[in-house]
């Protein structure tokens, strides 16, 4: 039998052990509550009189913040085309923290052929931009993150502003509370004279200005280096590929434009009233190409490995100059369109090219190219084949020149034509015949109705 003193000491030990156990259990529960963001341990806290409600509430706020963070929508680099897997980021239209509406333009990506617009999939606030302008981006990479939500109102902006200002206030109060320490300032003051002593070294710069170029010219001779955009790089690559691959040869002819100019003068006003399209040269030349290609199908063909591909359709690539470089949108099935239909399609594609709105579908394909350097005043030139095509027709400026007709020297509006062709597929006889046929159709456009 235990004595009364032993019993009392034993009961005291049991109470202390139970109290420690409850405190340990309460601490574990509070940690679990802090992680899960729930206040399931509040009954135990009430028994132990531990005021931990603030901690639990803070955990819930953290949990809610993390929930909002993981709810952000990722904006990937969109697909471009089968042959394009990367591009250069041209610009972002918004900054981090800005609000953007759904379907608004977020960024522009520059590719080898066109500019691709990245549209915002949701409305919300931009929380992250992963790239900078001129960075290379790959299809599927995360371009930005957007936290979905409504546009911030004036009241919401005012509520969010004070927390941002509170941090500097706290920092300022801490700086005021910190005692001034003159000793650190003294080394800085001592080190400044040393910097001042070293400062006169840049005075040697004027000696560098008296360089050799200044001795023989009083004019400025500045140079600047600008990075080539992706389209210009691609154009350079394609043109060099053409020179290295094709056995290029150019044949020339000249065409009397009198009949075509008279036809245009007679019907241009009527055509504008009926269709709203300006009647130019490109529609007639394109139609002449499709008709001449029926007699010389190799012009519309292509070499693929050790095979020749012949086509029963003609997709004409029209060279259009844009501020970023030369592009060649395609008029599809030109052989099935009339002259006005071709002209309208050329006007539509040319406008899209100048506005930077061409799509990859507008640029894909093409079996023959027409380049009109005459709009810039070109008199004579040799165009380069647009691979993997076989030939390209170059048009030039219309100039009044003296020519002999029926033994008489008369002045006529003349244009030089140039046909550059791949001699691997097209022989000289076929190339000359093709170009002569175009000449005959342009000099007498009525023949196009009989072809």
């Amino acid at each position: 039998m235990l004595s009364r003193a032993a019993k009392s000491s034993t009961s005291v030990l049991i109470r202390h052990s139970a109290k420690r156990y409850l405190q340990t259990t309460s601490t574990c529960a509070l940690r679990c509550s802090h992680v899960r963001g729930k206040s399931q341990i509040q009954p135990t806290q009430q028994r132990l009189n531990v005021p931990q409600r603030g901690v639990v509430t803070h955990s819930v706020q953290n949990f809610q913040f993390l929930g909002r963070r993981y709810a952000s929508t990722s904006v990937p680099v969109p697909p471009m085309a089968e042959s394009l897997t990367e591009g250069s980021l041209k610009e972002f239209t918004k900054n981090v923290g800005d609000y953007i509406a759904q379907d608004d333009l977020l960024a522009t990506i520059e590719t080898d052929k066109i500019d691709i617009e990245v549209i915002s999939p949701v409305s919300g606030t931009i929380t992250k931009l992963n790239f900078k302008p001129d960075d290379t981006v790959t299809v599927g990479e995360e371009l930005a993150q957007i936290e979905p939500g409504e546009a911030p109102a004036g009241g919401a902006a005012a509520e969010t502003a004070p927390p941002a200002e509170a941090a500097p206030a706290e920092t300022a109060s801490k700086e005021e509370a910190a005692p001034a320490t003159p000793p650190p300032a003294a080394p800085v003051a001592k080190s400044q004279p040393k910097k001042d002593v070293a400062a006169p070294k840049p005075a040697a710069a004027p000696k560098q200005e008296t360089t050799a170029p200044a001795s023989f010219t009083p004019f400025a001779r500045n140079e600047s280096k600008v990075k080539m955009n992706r389209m210009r790089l691609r154009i350079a690559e394609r043109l060099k590929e053409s020179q290295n691959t094709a056995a290029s040869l150019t044949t020339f002819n000249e065409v009397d434009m009198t009949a075509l100019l008279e036809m245009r003068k007679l019907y241009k006003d009527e055509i504008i009233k009926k269709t709203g399209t300006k009647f130019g040269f490109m529609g007639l030349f394109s139609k002449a190409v499709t008709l001449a290609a029926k007699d010389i199908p190799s012009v519309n063909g292509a070499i693929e490995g050790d095979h020749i591909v012949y086509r029963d359709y003609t997709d004409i690539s029209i060279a259009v100059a844009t501020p970023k470089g030369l592009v060649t949108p395609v008029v599809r099935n030109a052989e099935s369109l009339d002259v006005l239909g071709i002209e309208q399609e050329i006007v539509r594609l040319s406008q899209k090219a100048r506005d930077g709105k061409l799509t990859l579908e507008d640029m894909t394909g093409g079996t023959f190219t027409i380049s009109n350097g005459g709009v810039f005043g070109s008199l004579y030139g040799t165009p380069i084949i647009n691979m993997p095509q076989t030939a390209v027709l170059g048009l030039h400026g219309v100039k009044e020149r003296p020519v002999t007709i029926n033994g008489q020297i008369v002045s006529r509006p003349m244009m030089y034509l140039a046909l550059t062709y791949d001699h691997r597929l097209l022989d000289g006889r076929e190339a000359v015949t093709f170009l002569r046929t175009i000449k005959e159709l342009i000099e007498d456009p009525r023949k196009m109705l009989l072809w």
Side-chain angles (χ1 to χ4, degrees):
M1 296 297 294
L2 294 174
S3 63
R4 183 174 298 177
K7 287 181 179 180
S8 63
S9 62
T10 302
S11 63
V12 171
L13 288 175
I14 292 174
R15 286 180 195 150
H16 283 298
S17 299
K19 188 173 182 180
R20 285 185 180 179
Y21 174 76
L22 289 176
Q23 289 178 347
T24 304
T25 306
S26 173
T27 304
C28 294
L30 285 172
R31 290 177 180 174
C32 295
S33 168
H34 180 75
V35 174
R36 298 177 183 175
K38 299 179 180 179
S39 56
Q40 297 175 351
I41 197 62
Q42 288 180 1
T44 307
Q45 296 167 7
Q46 292 175 358
R47 289 196 303 270
L48 298 177
N49 296 323
V50 182
Q52 296 291 342
R53 294 182 183 272
V55 177
V56 177
T57 304
H58 180 68
S59 300
V60 174
Q61 292 175 351
N62 288 342
F63 177 78
Q64 291 174 352
F65 171 75
L66 293 174
R68 290 196 302 269
R69 180 180 177 184
Y70 288 120
S72 296
T73 299
S74 176
V75 182
V77 177
M80 302 175 188
E82 294 182 359
S83 59
L84 298 177
T85 58
E86 65 178 21
S88 296
L89 178 63
K90 187 175 181 180
E91 62 178 353
F92 279 112
T93 60
K94 302 287 185 179
N95 298 319
V96 174
D98 290 349
Y99 177 82
I100 186 170
Q102 186 175 2
D103 297 331
D104 279 359
L105 180 64
L106 174 62
T108 303
I109 298 175
E110 185 182 62
T111 67
D112 300 344
K113 298 180 179 180
I114 62 172
D115 288 349
I116 295 178
E117 296 181 344
V118 181
I119 305 301
S120 175
V122 296
S123 297
T125 303
I126 298 174
T127 59
K128 189 177 182 182
L129 298 176
N130 295 325
F131 296 94
K132 298 179 180 179
D134 296 331
D135 284 352
T136 300
V137 296
T138 306
V139 173
E141 283 187 319
E142 184 182 74
L143 193 64
Q145 287 185 2
I146 300 175
E147 182 180 323
E150 299 297 331
E159 291 178 1
T160 55
E165 297 174 357
E170 293 177 1
T171 307
S173 62
K174 291 180 180 179
E175 291 178 354
E176 293 176 359
T181 54
V188 175
K190 292 179 181 179
S191 61
Q192 286 178 354
K194 294 181 180 179
K195 293 182 180 179
D196 295 337
V197 173
K201 289 185 178 179
K207 296 181 180 180
Q208 297 178 357
E209 293 179 0
T210 58
T211 56
S215 63
F216 62 83
T217 176
F219 305 104
R221 296 170 57 84
N222 299 323
E223 295 181 356
S224 61
K225 185 180 294 185
V226 180
K227 184 178 180 181
M228 295 174 67
N229 59 47
R230 298 183 72 90
M231 183 178 291
R232 176 53 59 186
L233 287 170
R234 183 59 175 167
I235 290 173
E237 179 184 342
R238 291 292 303 275
L239 293 180
K240 194 58 183 176
E241 176 190 359
S242 176
Q243 287 186 332
N244 295 339
T245 303
S248 298
L249 187 63
T250 304
T251 183
F252 301 93
N253 212 321
E254 61 179 359
V255 56
D256 187 349
M257 299 288 288
T258 302
L260 193 148
L261 290 175
E262 289 179 355
M263 177 181 176
R264 182 187 179 192
K265 183 178 180 181
L266 285 173
Y267 302 112
K268 66 176 183 179
D269 294 337
E270 182 180 350
I271 291 173
I272 290 177
K273 289 180 181 180
K274 295 181 67 174
T275 65
T277 302
K278 186 178 179 181
F279 188 28
F281 297 153
M282 293 297 292
L284 286 165
F285 273 102
S286 299
K287 193 62 180 179
V289 166
T290 62
L291 296 175
K294 293 181 179 179
D295 292 342
I296 312 295
S298 298
V299 172
N300 201 38
I303 296 176
E304 290 187 4
D306 56 355
H307 293 77
I308 300 175
V309 178
Y310 293 100
R311 305 179 178 95
D312 62 354
Y313 59 90
T314 305
D315 291 347
I316 298 182
S317 300
I318 305 297
V320 180
T322 67
K324 296 181 60 178
L326 188 70
V327 295
T328 53
V330 180
V331 178
R332 304 194 185 279
N333 290 99
E335 83 289 344
S336 301
L337 300 175
D338 57 19
V339 174
L340 292 182
I342 296 174
E343 193 73 40
Q344 290 175 342
E345 188 67 7
I346 291 173
V347 171
R348 184 185 69 86
L349 292 172
S350 299
Q351 189 61 45
K352 288 183 67 176
R354 296 186 184 95
D355 295 341
K357 301 297 183 181
L358 286 175
T359 64
L360 290 174
E361 290 75 14
D362 295 329
M363 305 278 289
T364 305
T367 62
F368 187 89
T369 297
I370 298 178
S371 176
N372 185 9
V375 297
F376 304 109
S378 173
L379 177 65
Y380 212 75
T382 56
I384 298 178
I385 299 173
N386 183 15
M387 298 299 293
Q389 299 174 13
T390 300
V392 53
L393 176 65
L395 310 182
H396 300 90
V398 179
K399 305 294 182 181
E400 289 282 343
R401 293 201 302 272
V403 296
T404 303
I405 299 177
N406 297 327
Q408 300 292 325
I409 298 177
V410 296
S411 178
R412 290 293 180 90
M414 305 297 292
M415 175 193 287
Y416 287 114
L417 302 179
L419 179 72
T420 300
Y421 59 96
D422 190 349
H423 213 333
R424 298 179 301 166
L425 179 59
L426 203 60
D427 293 333
R429 179 189 65 84
E430 296 172 324
V432 172
T433 302
F434 175 80
L435 190 59
R436 191 186 70 237
T437 301
I438 294 175
K439 166 186 167 68
E440 294 173 354
L441 292 173
I442 294 299
E443 289 184 338
D444 188 0
R446 294 171 296 184
K447 287 185 177 180
M448 296 187 189
L449 300 176
L450 306 175
W451 209 267

